[in-house]
Amino acid sequence: MENINTGDTAFILICSALVMFMTPGLALFYGGMVRSKNVLGTIMHSFIMLGVAIIVWVLYGYSLAFGPDAFGGLVGNLDWIGLRGVGQAPSDYADTIPHIAFMIFQGMFAIITPALITGAFAERIKFSSFIVFTVAWITLVYSPIAHWVWGGGWIGELGALDFAGGTVVHVNSAVAALAAAIIIGKRKGFGKEAMHPHNLPMTILGAAILWFGWFGFNAGSALAAGGLSSVAFVVTHIASGTGALGWILAEKIKTGKPTTLGAASGAVAGLVAITPAAGFVGPISAIIIGLLAGIFCYLAVGLKFKLDYDDSLDVVAVHGVGGALGAMLTGIFASTLINADGANGLIYGNASLVVTQLIAVGATIAYSFIVSFIILKIIDAVMGLRVSEEEEINGLDLSLHSETGYALSGIGGGTLGHTAPEVALQPEPSYAMKPSPASDQH
Amino acid sequence: MKKIEAIIKPFKLDEVKNALSKVGVQGLTAYEVKGFGRQKGHTEVYRGAEYRVDFVPKVKIEIMVDDEVAPRVVDAIMESARTGKIGDGKIFIFPADDAIRIRTGERGTDAI
């Protein structure tokens, strides 16, 4: 216990709180982008993860991800089930903070990762099926992949670099999002009706909260307060800023106007791309990484229309493309001058890191897509993934949660209980085409 | 001239607008309204307290048309707004005295 550093411990606990705050930030980011009839349902998808994911994590998820290796680097064993043995003494993962602090920091990652996926099936998934999917996904996809990269598994052994989760969190969730968008199908009216965001100030506030929380995500991944966390903090801010710039620059060139949704999306794209690189690259590299992320992710949002799938809130374009790009750019820009425990990238004469990064991204894409696809197919067959057409038309807020997000007019505000006189339901009226009064006159 | 008012389901507005464009309607006014008819309202629940909301959201559109066009316009609305379920709405037709385009002072059918 004498190894415990109070500064490091305080830092990691605060970073855990910052990462926690990203999930409600994501709720607002997504909530503003859907139609007003689905705002609560969409916010709920992220918000409830704070409860659902942490239970899985505490009971066995943490053990699967970070517990002692079980099958040659594929998954952790169940020694730490129910957090058995995860206490106040430090662990091998971070020798200056209590093991339980490391656990909760990682737990916040396990919360936001499934929440990221929800943008793909927004406005049409059944709440019960969504909860079942999430529990299965954390168990069978997130925990093993976290083990591969961070828990002493085979990708980490290979020497792939993923500082804060570009592959584990972003590529992983985006690939699951793609599988989900394909299986659940397009929203009713997709490509025909306007489905524009209903509250952009909410989305921008959400993006700003994500940005704020991301300092905990990336700087905290140094697992100690010091030089490395400071570098990670600085490059995180730089890449987010240049991500916003890259996106609106691309927009300006392609459509003539820089948009606020573009700036918010670009900032998130920059954050995603710097995530794997944060503790391995310097400030100038961060400028380039952010700019490229903003531009590439902007170009990628058009893919869903070309390839004809409805990834409603562009999880694939922002987190998938941004995460994969960030992982590859880490292979190019990583430097041992920043982090002696890291590796040199392509521009420092080590081309092999690019190949290693490619293997890490490729394996994550393949595993996450296949297993997510199977989980979703099974849930679809057993309990159905999608709400009924009528529920979708009326919106998830009213259909699934019996609430409305906005009560801006006093008209029809409702009466408490069932005290209002019930109007007897008349038989269905006949819609036979009668001659209209207008035509009578001719 | 006729003034045609229709109360429709909100998500049908785009379809109705497109159907009206096809029969030559060049402009319409739409409002978000609330009302009750034969369609039952819904229940909302806040911290366990149930609220009956009998007034359901609808969209009301208003169109001014030439007499000869009116039957086609009515048919277009009926076909495009209909789902066959209760709550599809209603169409009301009124005789109209005159119409004026404010910019030019044109009157009657020239103004619509």
Side-chain angles (χ1 to χ4, degrees), chain B residues 49-102:
Chain B
E50 273 191 23
Y51 297 84
R52 269 224 52 84
V53 179
D54 292 316
F55 284 79
V56 291
K58 294 282 166 189
V59 165
K60 180 177 176 184
I61 58 174
E62 291 183 1
I63 320 151
M64 293 286 282
V65 291
D66 199 21
D67 284 344
E68 296 108 64
V69 188
R72 272 190 283 143
V73 168
V74 169
D75 288 346
I77 297 173
M78 283 188 70
E79 279 163 33
S80 56
R82 187 163 186 269
T83 65
K85 295 210 182 82
I86 202 156
D88 275 351
K90 293 201 169 60
I91 302 171
F92 305 112
I93 300 144
F94 307 90
D97 288 339
D98 205 353
I100 302 160
R101 176 172 280 121
I102 293 174

Side-chain angles (χ1 to χ4, degrees), chain A residues 398-425:
Chain A
L398 210 48
S399 304
L400 303 185
H401 306 293
S402 278
E403 295 168 296
T404 46
Y406 306 95
L408 301 176
S409 135
I411 299 177
T415 42
L416 190 60
H418 289 278
T419 51
E422 290 282 338
V423 180
L425 198 61

Side-chain angles (χ1 to χ4, degrees), chain A residues 4 40 63 91 117 153 159 181 184 191 219 307 327 387:
Chain A
I4 285 189
L40 296 175
S63 192
S91 66
I117 305 173
I184 200 167
L307 299 178
V387 295

